[in-house]
Amino acid sequence: MRSLYTPGVRGVRPAVEQYYVHAALDDLLPGTTYYYGVGHDGFDPAALEHRASIASFRTAPARPERFVFTAFGDQGVGRGPVAVNRLLARERPAFHLHAGDICYADGAGQGARSDRYDPLAWDAFWRQSEPVARSTPWLATTGNHDMEAWYSPDGYGGLLARFSLPDSGFAPRTTPGAYSFVYGNVGVVALDANDVSYEIPANLGRTGGRQTAWLRRTLGALRAADEVDFVVVFFHHCVHSTSTHASDGGVRDAWLPLFEEHQVDLVINGHNHVYERTDAVRDGGVGRPVPVGGSADPARDGTVYVTAGGGGRALYGFQAGVAESYEGHVTRHREIDSFRWTRSGERAAETVEWSRVRYRGFSFLTVEAVAGPSPRLTVSARAADGARIDRFEVRRGARGPVRAPRRILDGRGSRGAAPGGRLPVQEGRAG
């Protein structure tokens, strides 16, 4: 039993006490379906009239086999998240990755005690999520709206009370959003991007570099593991995006060199409330174009970055004059004026070529992993009406011509890293 007490604020909300019950299950067999019920005094889930409350889950297989997992970020509570959850359940995923900004009890997202805060939003979130999460493990990491300063200086006391996440990270009690696991032939790494974000610096540098050092060791170990074909990394703030919050230079500075060194196969972010997907990115530019239906080999072409922030919260758009482009509605590909956040909290202009797919609507990601002599990841994105809006494959060891990467254009039109000019951009908010 884990409890949380949220003090009242005169004229805003009463004090709230919440209790969360956690139960650990040990010695489970691989590849086995288990049924369970949750009861209490006066409610027996095994009673005939309560049989509908019995749920089930299936453990991971002993050996790699085909499986599907799903992902999104920036969910919240409401009709949008319910619609996305309903579609997600149809995929019957082995697990679901939540890239942060889980329920928005903290509405401001600045990680301060002055943020407006409604702890009862979590009660609504759990009711909304139960139809899916009762059978599918939800593996979350921390976004800026998940720094709830009411409970601990780092803001993660609430997350520790509500979730039981893998304790395989470097500091599971103080950085619960950083951990790793292997399922089938896929190694998955969760990261806490609040530790490196230049845009929202409430927790910037909080781990003193320990998270990045752990990431280096973890990626190296996963790449050396014979059973791991693919490495997927997910966290909140975007490496590459052109929507409201654009790209976070802190994430790029800390982790991008490691993603390239260890040839990470897929990076999944949230933060921007849209769907956006890059080409394969290598050395700061496009290593290989990956149109809808295309493929990439990370060892040769670079990494594909997906912003899957359409999980249900109010949606964002793209820069003025930038059209959506997605399956069934592909528009002419062109360079886009965008920006990245700098250590000083300023916006540095950059012109990018890597933005390949853009969709402004609720959506989620599905990833099918296939093992064997020709392993592959088939990545698809679906809108809230079930329509597919993107599809591409990641294959290692593919053959084909190597393309010299085209680098980012800075604000003056020259090739290289953007030096820090300004652009007129859509004004964003923490979200």
Side-chain angles (χ1 to χ4, degrees), residues 38-55:
V38 179
H40 54 77
D41 287 346
F43 184 93
D44 179 2
L48 184 62
E49 64 270 25
H50 298 146
R51 291 286 176 86
S53 69
I54 298 295

Side-chain angles (χ1 to χ4, degrees), residues 104-119:
Y104 288 84
D106 183 314
Q110 297 298 317
R113 285 183 65 91
S114 58
D115 288 359
R116 60 189 183 277
Y117 186 70
D118 178 12

Side-chain angles (χ1 to χ4, degrees), residues 373-422:
S374 300
R376 70 177 184 275
L377 296 179
T378 300
V379 185
S380 302
R382 293 198 175 275
D385 62 359
R388 194 173 69 191
I389 55 173
D390 191 18
R391 181 184 182 278
F392 66 97
E393 285 191 349
V394 178
R395 295 176 177 265
R396 299 192 71 85
R399 294 290 179 262
V402 177
R403 177 184 179 185
R406 296 185 63 182
R407 298 191 62 80
I408 292 172
L409 287 167
D410 65 28
R412 299 166 299 181
S414 61
R415 300 284 173 185
R422 288 182 173 271

Side-chain angles (χ1 to χ4, degrees), residues 166-397:
D167 60 0
S168 53
F170 67 98
R173 294 299 303 169
T174 57
T175 310
Y179 54 87
S180 67
F181 64 93
V182 174
Y183 190 107
N185 65 332
V186 178
V188 179
V189 182
L191 296 172
D192 177 6
N194 294 320
D195 179 37
V196 298
S197 171
Y198 290 164
E199 179 196 4
I200 301 172
N203 276 0
L204 177 62
R206 191 180 62 83
T207 73
R210 289 190 300 149
Q211 181 174 212
T212 299
W214 170 82
L215 174 63
R216 179 181 292 106
R217 296 192 303 270
T218 302
L219 292 179
L222 289 173
R223 272 289 165 242
D226 291 338
E227 71 274 19
V228 174
D229 292 317
F230 300 103
V231 176
V232 175
V233 180
F234 75 106
F235 50 91
H236 188 62
H237 300 263
C238 295
V239 182
H240 296 299
S241 180
T242 64
S243 185
T244 300
H245 293 291
S247 307
D248 198 306
V251 173
R252 288 187 185 176
D253 290 349
W255 297 338
L256 192 53
L258 296 179
F259 298 159
E260 296 197 350
E261 176 185 351
H262 296 283
Q263 301 172 2
V264 168
D265 297 283
L266 178 65
V267 173
I268 300 170
N269 300 140
H271 201 42
N272 284 298
H273 301 183
V274 295
Y275 177 84
E276 186 172 16
R277 195 258 294 167
T278 71
D279 290 319
V281 178
R282 179 167 61 91
D283 296 332
V286 174
R288 181 184 182 88
V290 185
V292 173
S295 65
D297 174 1
R300 179 195 64 193
D301 307 321
T303 301
V304 176
Y305 296 82
V306 176
T307 298
R313 191 65 170 176
L315 294 162
Y316 294 171
F318 295 97
Q319 303 298 323
V322 176
E324 295 177 274
S325 185
Y326 53 90
E327 185 169 353
H329 182 76
V330 176
T331 55
R332 184 176 66 86
H333 184 68
R334 65 179 183 84
E335 294 176 333
I336 293 174
D337 291 337
S338 187
F339 69 93
R340 61 177 171 81
W341 293 95
T342 68
R343 180 177 290 275
S344 62
E346 300 294 320
R347 298 175 177 184
E350 61 183 22
T351 300
V352 304
E353 185 189 9
W354 38 250
S355 179
R356 175 61 60 173
V357 178
R358 295 174 299 279
Y359 176 75
R360 188 184 183 276
F362 297 132
S363 59
F364 67 98
L365 203 65
T366 69
V367 182
E368 178 191 42
V370 175
S374 300
R376 70 177 184 275
L377 296 179
T378 300
V379 185
S380 302
R382 293 198 175 275
D385 62 359
R388 194 173 69 191
I389 55 173
D390 191 18
R391 181 184 182 278
F392 66 97
E393 285 191 349
V394 178
R395 295 176 177 265
R396 299 192 71 85

